[in-house]
Amino acid sequence: METRSNKLAIFFDLDDTLYDHLVPFKEAVREVLSPDESSLDFAELFYKVRHHSDVLWPMYLRGEIPLEETRVRRLELAFAEYGLQIDRDQASAVQAAYIGRQYSIDMIEGVREHLERFIADGHKVGIITNGPKDHQMSKIRGLGLDQIIPEDMIFISDAVGLAKPDPEIFVHVNQKTGTSADHSLYIGDTWANDVVGSLAAGWKVCWYNPRGRQPATDHKPSYIFTNYKEFGELPLM
């Protein structure tokens, strides 16, 4: 029989790790803007949206700009950087359509099986995600994750008062769940928030990199995978 020390605390990022964030974004852009898709790389455009969201988020957390302004401005900045000009009304319309689609989403293929396997094997399984509590919980419920993962294992930045990549959010999770950094594993897609943040807290990290992004720093993830079939073959234990 395995001892307690053989068990891990396994935490997942939410957006673009447990479900594909690109799907509702692509549908929203198509609905509002009807773009010429022959030369539009939705994945690259969305990558820029995520980047500007991460840059603006600390300003929102400090109360310098409201949430809705953060969301709309990230779209304006991302589209402009990509070389597409949209006005404030168009950015607001894309944001509204995007939000409306984020509650009717599906888990990435293979995710549910791994969550259920880890739980059945006695590991502690949870979620650490940045964002507003109500918004993130609506996505969690939309995915049915609230039926799999208990509420006390779900940590949302705005509710905690700490946000990735600050390693203190990972320290907080260890303290609240009675786990230790040396037996903790984080799975996430964003280099700065997920890889750098969790490594700084002394956790192991699996970098989910389905689109072949290049590392932004010299940090070394414990594992890298591009789909959940590969993930299931990693020697995590």
Side-chain angles (χ1 to χ4, degrees):
M1 179 180 296
E2 290 185 339
T3 65
R4 184 66 182 173
S5 63
N6 295 121
K7 303 301 180 182
L8 296 176
I10 304 174
F11 284 84
F12 289 79
D13 172 45
L14 176 62
D15 300 315
D16 257 352
T17 298
L18 296 181
Y19 79 97
D20 188 349
H21 220 166
L22 181 59
V23 172
F25 174 77
K26 184 185 296 186
E27 291 175 350
V29 172
R30 282 173 169 163
E31 175 192 327
V32 175
L33 302 176
S34 300
D36 176 6
E37 297 186 26
S38 63
S39 59
L40 176 56
D41 185 338
F42 279 105
E44 185 61 28
L45 176 59
F46 186 61
Y47 177 76
K48 295 182 186 301
V49 174
R50 292 285 302 274
H51 168 73
H52 286 289
S53 182
D54 289 341
V55 171
L56 292 168
W57 203 255
M59 298 171 63
Y60 157 69
L61 291 176
R62 293 193 297 267
E64 296 172 10
I65 53 176
L67 178 60
E68 193 59 28
E69 175 66 17
T70 304
R71 289 169 164 170
V72 173
R73 191 182 299 179
R74 68 181 178 177
L75 292 172
E76 292 176 318
L77 292 169
F79 274 75
E81 183 180 339
Y82 190 81
L84 298 172
Q85 296 302 319
I86 58 173
D87 60 30
R88 173 54 60 109
D89 288 342
Q90 289 174 315
S92 297
V94 170
Q95 175 59 33
Y98 176 42
I99 287 288
R101 285 169 166 75
Q102 286 189 50
Y103 307 139
S104 298
I105 47 181
D106 298 308
M107 285 187 234
I108 295 169
E109 184 177 358
V111 164
R112 178 181 291 273
E113 291 79 4
H114 289 299
L115 294 174
E116 293 175 343
R117 173 172 64 90
F118 290 145
I119 292 169
D121 288 345
H123 303 288
K124 288 191 172 184
V125 177
I127 294 170
I128 305 172
T129 177
N130 281 359
K133 181 180 178 182
D134 290 345
H135 180 49
Q136 298 302 85
M137 280 304 304
S138 292
K139 288 187 279 189
I140 287 168
R141 285 190 289 269
L143 291 165
L145 288 164
D146 59 323
Q147 303 300 311
I148 303 172
I149 297 174
E151 187 174 351
D152 63 358
M153 293 294 287
I154 297 172
F155 295 86
I156 301 172
S157 64
D158 280 20
V160 173
L162 297 164
K164 301 178 296 180
D166 187 344
E168 287 303 312
I169 192 169
F170 297 95
V171 174
H172 173 84
V173 168
N174 282 145
Q175 292 172 342
K176 288 295 185 180
T177 60
T179 56
S180 61
D182 60 345
H183 282 79
S184 296
L185 174 70
Y186 192 59
I187 298 96
D189 71 294
T190 303
W191 185 265
N193 283 354
D194 301 333
V195 174
V196 176
S198 58
L199 286 176
W203 290 36
K204 290 184 178 180
V205 59
C206 289
W207 184 31
Y208 176 44
N209 186 22
R211 299 186 178 100
R213 297 290 177 192
Q214 294 301 308
T217 64
D218 60 1
H219 292 79
K220 302 295 183 184
S222 311
Y223 309 99
I224 302 172
F225 68 104
T226 62
N227 59 61
Y228 278 90
K229 183 178 184 299
E230 286 183 9
F231 178 73
E233 298 168 354
L234 296 175
L236 303 178
M237 311 307 170

